[in-house]
Amino acid sequence: MSAEALPGTTPASPIPGTVASRPRFSIRKDEAGRLVPRHHSGLDPGLVGERAYTHPAVQEWWRWLREEYRPPSPVALVTPCSNVKPYTRSPTSRKVRGLLRRLGLWGGGAPRGVTWLYFSDLLILVPYERAGDYPACCYEAPPDLVLGSQELRSMVTSLLAEAVERLVERGLREAVVFLPRKHLTLWREAREKAAKWPREYHTGYTIFSTRSLEKTLRKTLSLHGQG
């Protein structure tokens, strides 16, 4: 399958006798080396930076997560949020989605047999099925913002601890954790605060491969009688 041409160009033809190569994976960064945010559904100015943590829609999300959300499966897959929103359109999500399909854990446009949760620096936990909903689609609050503020750091880790406690009470038993360093730091701090926590299975995070994640998922699901 060939890549689409950029505007004003024509697609490159493969060399005769060879197979056309896949489009190269690229990461957009600004001059300071930061990932460039992309909001396919638009960005709400009220959901940018520290002010986002007092937004009514965010606080309602926290309440819903704490009081109403029930994980559809006792096994969770925890992946990071993304500078691309909805998260489901990020390169990492595409790779994870492909993995779940290969493992037979996908159907009807959503995960099945596993609860896919995004760890958000603002919304705490976002189920895959709600990643396109407001406000998950339309905010910008990177992990450096939280890590750089003791007040936000304490609040986010406390909210995460409470949210996971509630999920455990509602049937969550295991969590396969696929998080980069900054998110993992916050995750571990929340675990220290929590009175209840699921059994964890960690796998090294990389945006380029899901091989290690596949092995961990297979092992976890087999222990749960799903492999």
Side-chain angles (χ1 to χ4, degrees), residues 60-77 111 114-118 123-130 162-172:
E60 169 57 22
W61 186 283
W62 294 343
R63 186 208 62 78
W64 169 80
L65 181 64
R66 182 176 60 248
E67 300 178 9
E68 298 183 26
Y69 177 64
R70 293 183 176 275
S73 168
V75 179
L77 168 60
V114 65
T115 299
W116 185 352
L117 298 172
Y118 293 98
L123 300 177
I124 311 305
L125 292 173
V126 178
Y128 179 92
E129 295 83 355
R130 292 205 60 189
E162 184 178 10
V164 173
E165 286 177 353
R166 297 294 179 270
L167 296 186
V168 170
E169 291 171 357
R170 296 171 190 149
L172 187 65

Side-chain angles (χ1 to χ4, degrees), residues 97 100-101 104-114 116 128-129:
R97 205 159 41 237
L100 296 182
R101 286 193 177 102
L105 298 171
W106 193 265
R112 63 180 185 186
V114 65
W116 185 352
Y128 179 92
E129 295 83 355

Side-chain angles (χ1 to χ4, degrees), residues 151-223:
E151 181 181 359
L152 287 180
R153 186 169 184 159
S154 177
M155 179 173 65
V156 167
T157 54
S158 294
L159 286 166
L160 177 57
E162 184 178 10
V164 173
E165 286 177 353
R166 297 294 179 270
L167 296 186
V168 170
E169 291 171 357
R170 296 171 190 149
L172 187 65
R173 295 292 175 262
E174 274 90 23
V176 175
V177 181
F178 186 59
L179 293 174
R181 177 177 53 83
K182 293 177 182 179
H183 287 94
L184 191 57
T185 296
L186 296 171
W187 179 268
R188 287 171 171 166
E189 289 180 12
R191 184 180 61 194
E192 292 300 313
K193 292 183 175 183
K196 302 175 184 178
W197 202 260
R199 181 178 300 168
E200 286 187 15
Y201 301 89
H202 287 263
T203 184
Y205 180 82
T206 171
I207 62 174
F208 299 108
S209 174
T210 58
R211 290 180 182 177
S212 177
L213 176 59
E214 179 174 355
K215 291 179 181 178
T216 305
L217 264 176
R218 285 185 183 277
K219 178 181 178 181
T220 305
L221 293 170
S222 65
L223 291 173

Side-chain angles (χ1 to χ4, degrees), residues 25-58:
F25 175 75
S26 63
I27 302 174
R28 298 175 60 202
K29 294 186 177 182
D30 62 17
E31 294 180 354
R34 296 178 296 241
L35 293 172
V36 178
R38 283 178 285 173
H39 298 82
H40 294 280
S41 301
L43 175 63
D44 183 340
L47 292 174
V48 177
E50 290 190 24
R51 75 174 74 176
Y53 290 85
T54 60
H55 195 288
V58 172

